[in-house]
Amino acid sequence: MLNGISLAIFIGIRSISTSNMTAAVKAVFFSIMLALLCWSCEDSGTTEPVEEDVVLATVGDKQVTLKQFRERSELTPRPAYCAGNSPDAKGIVLNSLIAEKLLALEAEKDPQLVSNSSFKNYLLGIKEQTMRLQLLETELAEELKLSDEEWTRYYNQAIRKMELSFLHSNSLDEINAWRAEIDASGDFDQVAMNIRGKPAPIEEVGWGESLEALDDAIFDKSVDAGSVVGPIKTPVGYYIARVNKATREIPVGQGSQDEKLRKVESVITGRKWLKAASQYVADLMKDRDIMLDAKGFDLLLSFYKPTHAIPNTKAEYLQFSAGELEMMRDNAERELGENLDTPLLTVNGKPWTIGEFIEYSKRRPVTFRSKKMYEKEFPHHLKLAIQDMLRDQRLTEAAYEKGLDKSPRVVAETETWRDHLLAIGKRNTLLRQLGFDEKVSRNALDAINVLRPQLNVMARYHPIEVLIDEKALADITLNRVQMKVVRNPDFIYREAVPNFPIVTNDERLSYFPDAHRWDKQ
């Protein structure tokens, strides 16, 4: 199984061209796979402590763990002053996380920060997304396991490469007619020339680089050079493929073999996840009888609409940023007033009002399946977005029923985000009080120099204990590659971890001299 955190770097897919089979199928495949691989498949049955649970430092009642240290160093870019793997860079990372906890502790004394509704909704949204994630991982774990037969079959497919000539159509009748012509004449190339006026496109594909339906058809053990396969039904239409060449690339050495096995595991686990998760959600929703109230929906639509509407006659799309969606929500809430009590839909006969929809969207924001749409299509896409919200609401209910709001993973991730958000609020408040304008001075080091005396004062009131010695810290190896790891757009909160805290550039573990205590291991 995939252990630990399996996060994917999001690759944006803007368009799909069916004239290029590899691009078309890869676009759909990766948009699915990147969503799936963001979910780790952990063995939730173990109670043994793992390395990532090791506490590196305590700050008051808060902890900095090895898991946080690695994730905040490797899943989001570090500033240039601590971008390497040197002992100094690692010292700065640890000090930065300690300083973030200090700022969070101070922020907890400020009721305006702690009680801010936007802060509370954002944090609740992250918590409930993590709960839904863990629910699916736990419920689907058994269904994601590969049998010995599957390992053998898919490994033998994974070492093959195919050069294909292919034809594509969105019409099943048309593709069937083409296949009949090919079978009657025995000449794929001539039929392709008759259809296209030019030769069929040629692509080289490997197993796991396309859609499951294509892999199943093309890489079947009965298929070899000269075989004509199809029609093959896929989410992007129908294909007929002729295999020009079929080769095998046998991995040499244990490392290459292990890499190939990891590819098999990730691809098949992702495909199994897609099917199992879809079925699990469908089963959960069976106890929900949902009826949209047409009048309520039209009323919502009269105010909840794009603020930069584009006339339908223009061949342009509506596009939505997070800020635009928030403006749409806030405008609807403000303008609807007393009409917020109007039913938008009923769930098992119980009304769900426009106001309840808007309030829920503050922690589970509206997201659209399509990132581009014509203005006239907006009502349809809004209905789908509401449907997706109700799906997540049902998953969240199931997660609460299983007590996942109290699971160590959910608690830890929520606390990490809570401390980060509070620290940002306190940091910005301090800088404003000290007359520092980050818009004027964009040098992060200037802000750090302003904050340093304030952090020293805070350290006097919050005991700091580092539980790892300098040698152990030096033994930790950090990835030198700087990256921003985000989740697929199917996720509401896409950042894998909070941004790196820009609060100190001091590498010394004795940075807080008045409060720092050593406990050498």
Side-chain angles (χ1 to χ4, degrees):
M1 301 298 289
L2 298 174
N3 295 311
I5 294 181
S6 299
L7 293 166
I9 302 174
F10 171 63
I11 300 175
I13 305 297
R14 291 192 174 272
S15 62
I16 296 175
S17 169
T18 51
S19 64
N20 182 315
M21 183 174 70
T22 302
V25 296
K26 282 186 177 180
V28 176
F29 174 72
F30 281 119
S31 68
I32 293 171
M33 285 301 297
L34 291 177
L36 304 176
L37 295 180
C38 284
W39 290 317
S40 61
C41 305
E42 299 175 338
D43 182 1
S44 58
T46 181
T47 57
E48 292 298 314
V50 295
E51 182 186 24
E52 282 75 9
D53 292 328
V54 172
V55 176
L56 301 185
T58 62
V59 186
D61 61 352
K62 300 183 182 297
Q63 296 179 337
V64 176
T65 66
L66 179 55
K67 182 175 186 292
Q68 294 170 358
F69 184 88
R70 288 193 182 282
E71 291 181 357
R72 301 291 293 280
S73 302
E74 299 184 335
L75 303 185
T76 191
R78 281 171 276 158
Y81 56 76
C82 61
N85 187 49
S86 67
D88 284 354
K90 286 180 279 191
I92 293 173
V93 171
L94 182 56
N95 274 337
S96 297
L97 295 176
I98 289 172
E100 183 180 68
K101 299 298 184 186
L102 276 175
L103 288 164
L105 284 166
E106 288 296 307
E108 288 174 349
K109 302 174 184 177
D110 186 341
Q112 285 190 323
L113 287 175
V114 176
S115 62
N116 180 277
S117 61
S118 296
F119 161 72
K120 292 166 71 174
N121 280 317
Y122 189 90
L123 196 62
L124 182 57
I126 287 175
K127 174 184 176 179
E128 292 182 343
Q129 177 174 272
T130 308
M131 290 168 59
R132 292 192 293 269
L133 217 56
Q134 187 168 356
L135 172 72
L136 289 171
E137 290 173 3
T138 303
E139 295 298 310
L140 306 182
E142 286 301 315
E143 299 184 50
L144 302 184
K145 292 180 179 178
L146 275 67
S147 66
D148 291 342
E149 184 275 331
E150 287 176 314
W151 276 113
T152 301
R153 171 159 47 99
Y154 292 123
Y155 181 82
N156 287 333
Q157 291 182 0
I159 61 177
R160 301 184 79 190
K161 286 276 187 183
M162 300 289 197
E163 183 190 272
L164 307 173
S165 295
F166 66 91
L167 295 171
H168 171 269
S169 175
N170 289 319
S171 167
L172 179 58
D173 290 340
E174 186 175 54
I175 205 83
N176 280 332
W178 295 349
R179 178 64 202 241
E181 289 184 45
I182 294 168
D183 290 342
S185 66
D187 193 334
F188 179 96
D189 291 326
Q190 186 57 54
V191 172
M193 184 67 74
N194 293 341
I195 293 167
R196 294 168 44 84
K198 56 184 177 180
I202 297 174
E203 296 282 351
E204 183 179 78
V205 298
W207 179 88
E209 297 174 0
S210 62
L211 295 173
E212 183 175 7
L214 284 165
D215 277 353
D216 288 345
I218 294 167
F219 290 93
D220 185 83
K221 63 182 179 181
S222 65
V223 175
D224 215 328
S227 298
V228 177
V229 184
I232 308 166
K233 182 181 179 181
T234 77
V236 292
Y238 300 91
Y239 286 92
I240 297 174
R242 197 264 311 278
V243 180
N244 302 327
K245 297 178 184 177
T247 58
R248 283 177 169 78
E249 297 179 350
I250 309 297
V252 178
Q254 190 63 47
S256 297
Q257 292 173 9
D258 290 344
E259 183 178 352
K260 189 67 71 175
L261 287 170
R262 284 193 295 271
K263 178 180 179 180
V264 169
E265 180 182 48
S266 65
V267 170
I268 299 304
T269 299
R271 289 172 175 175
K272 282 175 174 279
W273 179 285
L274 182 62
K275 294 175 183 177
S278 297
Q279 186 59 54
Y280 181 78
V281 171
D283 290 342
L284 270 184
M285 295 300 290
K286 283 179 180 178
D287 66 358
R288 293 291 191 268
D289 181 18
I290 301 169
M291 297 291 293
L292 185 69
D293 187 299
K295 290 183 179 179
F297 182 75
D298 288 344
L299 179 62
L300 172 66
L301 202 58
S302 64
F303 295 100
Y304 194 94
K305 59 186 178 182
T307 58
H308 61 286
I310 300 172
N312 296 336
T313 54
K314 289 189 177 181
E316 295 185 45
Y317 292 102
L318 298 177
Q319 292 180 292
F320 303 99
S321 65
E324 170 75 10
L325 290 170
E326 287 181 12
M327 285 191 293
M328 289 163 57
R329 180 198 69 205
D330 294 343
N331 179 66
E333 185 175 34
R334 181 175 56 255
E335 297 294 332
L336 282 164
E338 295 180 358
N339 290 317
L340 290 171
D341 291 332
T342 302
L344 175 62
L345 50 84
T346 59
V347 180
N348 294 343
K350 181 181 178 181
W352 201 47
T353 67
I354 294 175
E356 288 173 313
F357 157 75
I358 290 176
E359 193 60 33
Y360 187 63
S361 72
K362 293 177 182 178
R363 73 183 201 243
R364 195 289 186 192
V366 172
T367 56
F368 294 103
R369 298 181 188 181
S370 175
K371 302 309 174 189
K372 293 182 178 180
M373 67 190 78
Y374 291 111
E375 184 187 358
K376 64 183 179 182
E377 298 173 330
F378 179 73
H380 170 69
H381 286 283
L382 181 57
K383 290 178 182 178
L384 293 177
I386 293 172
Q387 178 180 316
D388 291 343
M389 288 178 71
L390 292 170
R391 173 206 63 203
D392 281 358
Q393 188 182 56
R394 181 67 186 95
L395 282 167
T396 304
E397 287 178 11
Y400 274 114
E401 289 166 4
K402 292 183 178 293
L404 293 181
D405 55 317
K406 299 179 178 62
S407 84
R409 170 182 168 185
V410 171
V411 171
E413 183 158 341
T414 305
E415 282 300 309
T416 295
W417 277 97
R418 182 178 187 273
D419 290 346
H420 170 71
L421 295 171
L422 286 174
I424 288 176
K426 187 62 180 179
R427 173 187 182 275
N428 293 342
T429 298
L430 282 173
L431 290 175
R432 284 195 301 270
Q433 290 173 347
L434 296 168
F436 183 82
D437 188 346
E438 287 189 282
K439 293 181 180 179
V440 175
S441 176
R442 296 184 178 274
N443 188 338
L445 295 179
D446 291 341
I448 285 172
N449 290 332
V450 171
L451 287 171
R452 179 174 284 111
Q454 304 298 316
L455 289 170
N456 277 325
V457 171
M458 293 178 198
R460 296 192 182 101
Y461 300 102
H462 300 287
I464 301 170
E465 185 174 11
V466 175
L467 303 174
I468 183 171
D469 61 29
E470 291 182 82
K471 182 181 182 303
L473 186 63
D475 288 342
I476 297 172
T477 301
L478 294 179
N479 191 338
R480 294 177 182 271
V481 178
Q482 295 291 290
M483 66 179 73
K484 177 70 172 179
V485 179
V486 295
R487 297 175 170 118
N488 177 276
D490 292 340
F491 282 79
I492 309 303
Y493 299 94
R494 293 184 56 204
E495 290 185 324
V497 296
N499 289 333
F500 189 87
I502 310 296
V503 287
T504 182
N505 65 338
D506 203 306
E507 77 282 357
R508 294 169 297 156
L509 286 176
S510 56
Y511 174 48
F512 307 109
D514 297 326
H516 194 85
R517 300 201 310 276
W518 280 95
D519 183 12
K520 296 254 184 180
Q521 303 294 308

